[in-house]
Amino acid sequence: MKLSPILILIALLALIGCSKTDPMVGNWQLQMDPAITSKLPDNQKISANVEFRADKTFSVDLNLGSRKEQLEGTYTLEGKTLTM
């Protein structure tokens, strides 16, 4: 099963809360839904760590089984909508 980085980022969006300050600043770790992980092969591990910075930039370290990727870019947070 091949999961795209976009799917991982969408899962991260589910972690966003509502606050008057920028709640995104800091380090975040993906927590996969057991309903998804139960469908993966036993040796397929997925992890994602995201760092959101106060200067509105981010970096993502993805591990999709044996595949590793790093993504970087900018983000905006308007209300409950995160755009990366």
Side-chain angles (χ1 to χ4, degrees):
M1 177 177 194
K2 182 178 177 182
L3 295 175
S4 72
I6 300 299
L7 178 61
I8 302 298
L9 293 175
I10 290 171
L12 287 172
L13 296 178
L15 300 174
I16 296 173
C18 182
S19 175
K20 293 187 184 213
T21 61
D22 188 349
M24 297 310 301
V25 174
N27 292 304
W28 295 74
Q29 184 173 8
L30 174 67
Q31 294 181 352
M32 294 292 292
D33 185 319
I36 294 172
T37 57
S38 68
K39 295 178 183 177
L40 298 174
D42 290 336
N43 62 349
Q44 181 81 31
K45 294 187 179 182
I46 299 173
S47 66
N49 294 302
V50 183
E51 179 185 5
F52 290 97
R53 300 177 200 98
D55 67 355
K56 302 295 184 188
T57 61
F58 72 90
S59 64
V60 180
D61 291 316
L62 294 174
N63 294 305
L64 307 169
S66 62
R67 186 173 149 201
K68 297 178 190 272
E69 292 194 34
Q70 184 173 27
L71 307 169
E72 294 185 340
T74 60
Y75 74 93
T76 59
L77 181 63
E78 296 178 17
K80 293 184 180 182
T81 302
L82 174 65
T83 304
M84 299 170 73

